[in-house]
Amino acid sequence: MERTITVNGNVIEWSEGMTVADVLNVMKYTFKLLVIHVNDEIIKREEWPSTLVPQGAEVKVIHLMSGG
Amino acid sequence: MSIAELKAKHRLIREWNYTPGQIFRGYNNRTLYVNLTDNTIAEKPVTQHMKDKFVGGKGFGLKLLWDGTKPETKWNDPENEIVISPGPCAGITQYSGAGKSLVVSISPQTDSIMDSNVGGYFGPYMKFNGFDAIELQGKAQKDVIIIIDGRTNKVTIEEAPAEAMDSHILAEQLTEMYALDEKDKINIAVVSAGSAADHSLIGMLNFSFYDPRRKLCRLKQAGRGGIGSVFRDKKIKALVAIGTGLKGDLNNVADMKAIQERGQRFNKEMKLDDQQCEMRTKGTAHLMEIMNQYDLLPTKNFQYGRDDSQIANIHSEVFKSKFTQTWKNLEGCWFGCSMSCAKAVDGFELKTGPYKGQKVIVDGPEYETAAGLGSNCGIFDADHIIEANFYCDTYGVCTITVGTATAFVMECYENGILNKERTGGLELNFGNSSSALELLHQMARGEGFGLIAGKGVRYMKNYFAEKGWGDIKFMNDIGMENKGLEYSQYVSKESLAQQGGYAMTNKGPQHDEAWLIFMDMVNNQIPTFENKAEALHYFPMFRTWFGLQGFCKLPWNDIEPENNRQTAEPAKVPEHVESYVIIYNAVTGNNIDKHELIRQSERVYNFQRVFNIRRGYGLRKHDAQPYRAAGPVTKAEYLSREAFYDKQLKELVNFDPAGKSLEERMSVMRKYREDRYEQLLDAVYERRGWTKNGVPKIEHLKNIGMDLPEVIEVVRPLQ
């Protein structure tokens, strides 16, 4: 299996021990109103730093609208 | 001159007595008509048919404007109208963001239908004084004010020659003049424009709300499309609504308990604001660094989406430090709003212009203002933005429009289309704060290059081309207007859906119909044309609804319920949609569901499209966008994201950029993006029930219940 994950349809490199918070850092997603699914499972905000993202995972980082 | 002396100079033109209003379930069931040519003042009935088809707010405005004008009526014809209508839910204080009014008119910028929403007290006070809308027609001979006095149940037209023109003074003068005492000032609401509205096509209207803690008038703006210029063309100096004090249920609603329950639920949610958007401490300025981070902050006339080297100077924390953080930050532009995003800078010392050296209060800056007057002009200076914000407001011109128009001028200047000679000595490079401010002062004085810039981007493009100063094709590419209205402040290049969200709007490119950039560009939630078309159906229809009712959009999605993430469609904020349905039913006694909510909007939205068509607009060609909105116009733009664009060519266009010239890559990219926009138009028109030319189909109008004979008459020849 390739050492990648998919984030919002974009393929990015995966590394051992990668957490949800790491994914946000890599993607430079700084917006506050986010809903995050890892393989269709919702991850609570307080669990982002500790939740590991498995190799090959499909991550959805849904930015909710504000402003505009 | 003292207030008494100012008032002594008034001359009564007409006085009209009315029977007190009796609001029942959100409606007075009558509107107020004022004609300034023959000084008629009258009331008009609101029929059940009008409520069923047009609901209120913008719907009422469009209906009255349609009936009051002809297809060929120009913005400065006496028969053009300004209609202000708040909507049936406006004025409730038990749910946040319920004090909005919608203003409609024929625009001097677009020659078609303009609508602009605004907070402040005028709309609700006018309603509580007995009228669901005010319809202003005709032209006065001399400057007048119109007073709707709820104490005496009189409407008067008075010549008012001596008051100031600029809004920050005029609002204070009239509030002082008509209040019984300091405590009563909160019952006075003023609508005014300003000296730049006299000399430009981009004038806006200020709606006041008195701040008893500061003992000052605050101002909110109906900014878009030049309605302030129409106001001044009619020689209206101000409108004044004199209220008689708020009580709990002035709307005489059907079910107050239901509204209270939803209101309390929302107020609890606002405790999450610190972890979410920080609306209470920063207002919409919280978006500055977020938009920069996502390449969406317009920089140097929308060429770029970020400037990492300078964003710190206009970061939201900078504005937060300048906003006065009041007790619990409860600063709403209508009573009972716990979102409280009406931020202000107190004691700001002006460095330029006629009020130089004075310390003033500045309402805002909000995000659009800070991006438009700041980054988009290459001016990363918070104090410049605050000063320009103040002057735009008091002079009565739209900050969004001034920002985009100035940015266009600056790019023209940097490309040799303009020079010092042509601008009358102004060095209008990007980043030149003093010249940008002087341009604004010239608009107010009605002189120099300010007179030209004050006519907007579309006028300037043609004027510069006629003078032989520049290539019209290039200016069409970089001039950020559609339908004659300047773009608001988001970079849409990488979001096809947002390109439609801007250029397919009824009034022109304002983000209040749809803001889809995250859904489309970042989340990749709407990848197909059909997905995008569905979003460009639902969101414009949903958001139109706020303007029918008197609601503010911000409490819908600038705070999210804690469990929103677990819902099937979090982008729609389902719990808030449910609240709006419940509140509407609780105010009016009707019984709609979330589908009928969309249907209410769809009727009015399609009516507005047909109104545009009646005036010779509203077709596919009018939904065309400047290429700058869709892709990189210049080599510098392409090169700023070369790897990104090259990757797109390879992966999306199936074109290998290796070894190809920059010109060739840009040309292939442009064709790809322009083709996709055309495909988007097809998909959206299909979803909206329109022909390929963008005309609502008769069948669709029948389906939604907007097959009125006068509407069918317009669209039938175009089927």
Side-chain angles (χ1 to χ4, degrees):
Chain A
M1 188 187 277
E2 284 190 45
R3 292 172 65 84
T4 59
I5 56 171
T6 306
V7 184
N8 291 353
N10 304 297
V11 178
I12 68 163
E13 201 175 318
W14 174 84
S15 57
E16 193 73 44
M18 195 175 205
T19 64
V20 170
D22 293 334
V23 171
L24 297 181
N25 276 335
V26 170
M27 297 302 291
K28 296 183 178 156
Y29 287 160
T30 55
F31 190 57
K32 288 182 179 173
L33 297 182
L34 298 177
V35 179
I36 300 182
H37 297 77
V38 176
N39 291 333
D40 290 329
E41 187 186 333
I42 291 181
I43 311 297
K44 289 181 186 167
R45 177 177 288 271
E46 55 272 23
E47 293 168 359
W48 293 352
S50 59
T51 301
L52 293 175
V53 179
Q55 186 176 355
E58 187 181 349
V59 182
K60 288 181 191 161
V61 184
I62 306 299
H63 294 59
L64 300 177
M65 287 178 287
S66 75
Chain B
M1 201 179 288
S2 70
I3 298 298
E5 288 169 324
L6 291 173
K7 195 169 186 188
K9 290 189 177 295
H10 284 197
R11 188 172 79 84
L12 182 67
I13 304 289
R14 180 61 55 94
E15 180 176 286
W16 179 77
N17 297 291
Y18 63 91
T19 54
Q22 290 187 323
I23 300 184
F24 181 67
R25 296 184 174 180
Y27 291 98
N28 286 283
N29 295 312
R30 65 181 180 182
T31 61
L32 177 62
Y33 174 78
V34 178
N35 189 310
L36 293 163
T37 300
D38 61 13
N39 297 312
T40 300
I41 307 176
E43 65 180 57
K44 291 184 179 179
V46 170
T47 62
Q48 189 59 46
H49 173 266
M50 192 166 158
K51 290 193 282 189
D52 291 344
K53 299 296 182 188
F54 296 95
V55 185
K58 179 160 81 169
F60 279 12
L62 293 171
K63 161 71 176 157
L64 293 168
L65 188 66
W66 174 294
D67 290 347
T69 60
K70 301 186 190 76
E72 59 276 12
T73 301
K74 296 296 174 196
W75 75 273
N76 53 358
D77 286 343
E79 71 193 15
N80 188 17
E81 296 186 340
I82 297 170
V83 187
I84 304 170
S85 178
C89 296
I92 61 173
T93 56
Q94 296 80 12
Y95 194 85
S96 291
K100 287 273 190 168
S101 299
L102 259 287
V103 190
V104 304
S105 189
I106 295 169
S107 162
Q109 290 194 265
T110 69
D111 188 39
S112 201
I113 310 309
M114 186 53 54
D115 62 86
S116 198
N117 82 75
V118 62
Y121 294 170
F122 181 83
Y125 284 0
M126 171 185 73
K127 183 176 168 183
F128 296 145
N129 284 356
F131 304 99
D132 295 330
I134 182 169
E135 184 184 4
L136 302 161
Q137 197 173 40
K139 281 193 196 188
Q141 298 283 324
K142 295 179 179 173
D143 282 339
V144 296
I145 59 174
I146 298 161
I147 303 145
I148 308 168
D149 187 345
R151 289 188 209 122
T152 58
N153 298 306
K154 279 181 189 169
V155 178
T156 54
I157 305 171
E158 299 178 12
E159 277 182 14
E163 285 86 351
M165 191 60 72
D166 288 343
S167 275
H168 80 291
I169 303 173
L170 179 57
E172 294 286 351
Q173 288 173 334
L174 294 176
T175 299
E176 176 82 26
M177 189 178 291
Y178 290 102
L180 300 172
D181 51 32
E182 175 62 34
K183 205 176 159 191
D184 190 47
K185 285 183 179 176
I186 205 162
N187 293 319
I188 309 300
V190 178
V191 180
S192 56
S195 49
D198 271 3
H199 307 296
S200 75
L201 302 182
I202 62 174
M204 62 75 173
L205 294 176
N206 287 294
F207 281 54
S208 77
F209 61 108
Y210 190 72
D211 184 335
R213 278 181 292 198
R214 291 181 170 90
K215 297 187 172 18
L216 286 170
C217 287
R218 309 275 302 274
L219 300 171
K220 280 283 174 186
Q221 293 74 36
R224 303 310 325 262
I227 301 177
S229 301
V230 181
F231 192 80
R232 288 301 303 140
D233 183 67
K234 295 183 177 302
K235 291 208 176 300
I236 305 172
K237 191 177 258 185
L239 310 175
V240 180
I242 302 174
T244 55
L246 286 182
K247 300 179 195 78
D249 186 15
L250 288 172
N251 270 306
N252 199 4
V253 302
D255 182 358
M256 178 54 79
K257 247 179 125 174
I259 301 169
Q260 286 170 332
E261 193 277 321
R262 288 285 156 163
Q264 285 160 6
R265 188 188 292 207
F266 180 86
N267 293 346
K268 280 181 195 159
E269 274 172 33
M270 277 308 298
K271 290 176 183 164
L272 302 170
D273 182 52
D274 286 346
Q275 293 100 57
Q276 295 189 11
C277 292
E278 301 175 272
M279 296 294 281
R280 281 184 171 178
T281 52
K282 296 176 175 175
T284 58
H286 80 91
L287 289 167
M288 297 303 293
E289 62 275 11
I290 296 168
M291 292 302 125
N292 186 74
Q293 181 66 47
Y294 287 83
D295 281 298
L296 300 171
L297 182 73
T299 304
K300 297 187 175 177
N301 195 30
F302 297 88
Q303 289 182 82
Y304 313 111
R306 66 194 303 155
D307 187 333
D308 291 343
S309 67
Q310 300 193 75
I311 186 64
N313 300 329
I314 56 171
H315 192 283
S316 66
E317 290 296 331
V318 175
F319 289 110
K320 182 180 176 182
S321 71
K322 290 177 182 290
F323 293 144
T324 305
Q325 301 294 328
T326 57
W327 180 75
K328 290 192 176 179
N329 281 308
L330 292 176
E331 297 195 274
C333 64
W334 178 242
F335 299 93
C337 180
S338 61
M339 181 151 270
S340 298
C341 65
K343 302 297 111 188
V345 180
D346 285 286
F348 183 79
E349 186 170 337
L350 297 164
K351 297 180 186 69
T352 69
Y355 307 112
K356 182 179 176 179
Q358 293 184 20
K359 289 189 174 177
V360 294
I361 183 170
V362 187
D363 270 283
E366 298 184 33
Y367 166 76
E368 298 287 335
T369 298
L373 301 173
S375 60
N376 213 7
C377 294
I379 304 172
F380 290 78
D381 176 346
D383 283 347
H384 164 87
I385 291 166
I386 295 166
E387 177 132 354
N389 187 165
F390 170 80
Y391 274 114
C392 283
D393 287 355
T394 198
Y395 288 160
V397 284
C398 171
T399 55
I400 294 174
T401 302
V402 168
T404 299
T406 305
F408 171 73
V409 165
M410 287 175 160
E411 191 169 357
C412 287
Y413 194 92
E414 299 222 336
N415 280 278
I417 296 166
L418 295 173
N419 54 39
K420 249 174 116 168
E421 191 184 332
R422 290 170 184 168
T423 63
L426 295 178
E427 289 182 5
L428 282 157
N429 301 92
F430 284 119
N432 193 327
S433 163
S434 59
S435 289
L437 284 164
E438 178 54 22
L439 186 66
L440 186 52
H441 298 315
Q442 286 186 356
M443 284 181 204
R445 295 196 300 268
E447 63 181 43
F449 192 70
L451 270 176
I452 295 165
K455 290 186 170 140
V457 169
R458 178 166 284 191
Y459 175 87
M460 283 193 282
K461 289 191 302 190
N462 294 320
Y463 180 81
F464 299 164
E466 278 167 22
K467 290 277 185 185
W469 293 349
D471 173 15
I472 189 68
K473 279 187 188 163
F474 176 68
M475 289 189 285
N476 280 335
D477 279 351
I478 67 164
M480 289 298 284
E481 60 87 10
N482 149 274
K483 301 180 176 72
L485 187 70
E486 286 72 14
Y487 272 70
S488 72
Q489 308 299 334
Y490 297 97
V491 172
S492 56
K493 283 176 190 154
E494 303 312 320
S495 169
L496 180 61
Q498 186 57 34
Q499 291 167 33
Y502 267 142
M504 297 174 71
T505 44
N506 271 327
K507 68 167 173 266
Q510 171 77 353
H511 54 282
D512 62 348
E513 278 197 16
W515 197 90
L516 302 172
I517 301 181
F518 280 164
M519 280 185 89
D520 189 31
M521 180 185 100
V522 184
N523 302 342
N524 200 19
Q525 280 175 292
I526 45 175
T528 67
F529 285 108
E530 288 69 26
N531 297 151
K532 293 181 206 302
E534 183 57 36
L536 280 165
H537 169 70
Y538 177 82
F539 287 101
M541 299 311 153
F542 178 68
R543 294 175 68 146
T544 292
W545 193 80
F546 294 122
L548 307 183
Q549 304 295 350
F551 283 125
C552 173
K553 168 262 162 195
L554 296 173
W556 163 50
N557 70 350
D558 280 64
I559 186 82
E560 312 274 349
E562 230 168 353
N563 64 355
N564 190 50
R565 73 188 65 162
Q566 286 147 353
T567 60
E569 295 181 289
K572 292 182 179 176
V573 199
E575 184 178 313
H576 288 178
V577 175
E578 184 185 75
S579 289
Y580 287 118
V581 169
I582 287 170
I583 293 166
Y584 170 80
N585 288 338
V587 169
T588 61
N590 292 340
N591 185 25
I592 68 165
D593 59 17
K594 65 180 182 181
H595 305 295
E596 179 57 19
L597 179 156
I598 296 294
R599 196 51 63 93
Q600 285 185 329
S601 290
E602 215 174 349
R603 291 187 197 106
V604 174
Y605 193 91
N606 278 270
F607 183 82
Q608 190 167 356
R609 181 80 176 184
V610 175
F611 203 165
N612 283 337
I613 294 169
R614 186 176 89 147
R615 295 190 54 76
Y617 304 98
L619 303 176
R620 187 180 185 112
K621 64 184 175 184
H622 303 110
D623 291 339
Q625 60 179 339
Y627 184 58
R628 171 69 53 79
V633 173
T634 64
K635 291 178 180 175
E637 278 170 270
Y638 193 101
L639 291 172
S640 73
R641 305 188 76 186
E642 187 177 20
F644 173 80
Y645 289 132
D646 280 354
K647 188 166 177 257
Q648 280 195 349
L649 284 176
K650 205 168 179 177
E651 293 178 359
L652 302 178
V653 192
N654 203 20
F655 175 85
D656 186 355
K660 303 294 192 307
S661 70
L662 180 56
E663 286 83 356
E664 193 177 355
R665 283 179 282 157
M666 289 175 66
S667 171
V668 172
M669 176 65 81
R670 179 167 187 153
K671 185 172 183 323
Y672 169 73
R673 292 185 178 220
E674 288 180 339
D675 284 350
R676 278 172 58 82
Y677 185 67
E678 292 302 319
Q679 290 178 65
L680 180 74
L681 290 179
D682 287 338
V684 175
Y685 291 167
E686 174 73 24
R687 176 62 186 87
R688 289 183 180 174
W690 298 355
T691 69
K692 278 197 177 295
N693 197 22
V695 179
K697 293 177 184 169
I698 291 174
E699 195 60 31
H700 179 65
L701 293 168
K702 283 181 182 168
N703 286 341
I704 62 173
M706 201 24 108
D707 53 331
L708 307 177
E710 63 269 32
V711 170
I712 299 298
E713 188 187 332
V714 173
V715 299
R716 188 180 295 285
L718 297 166
Q719 294 297 295

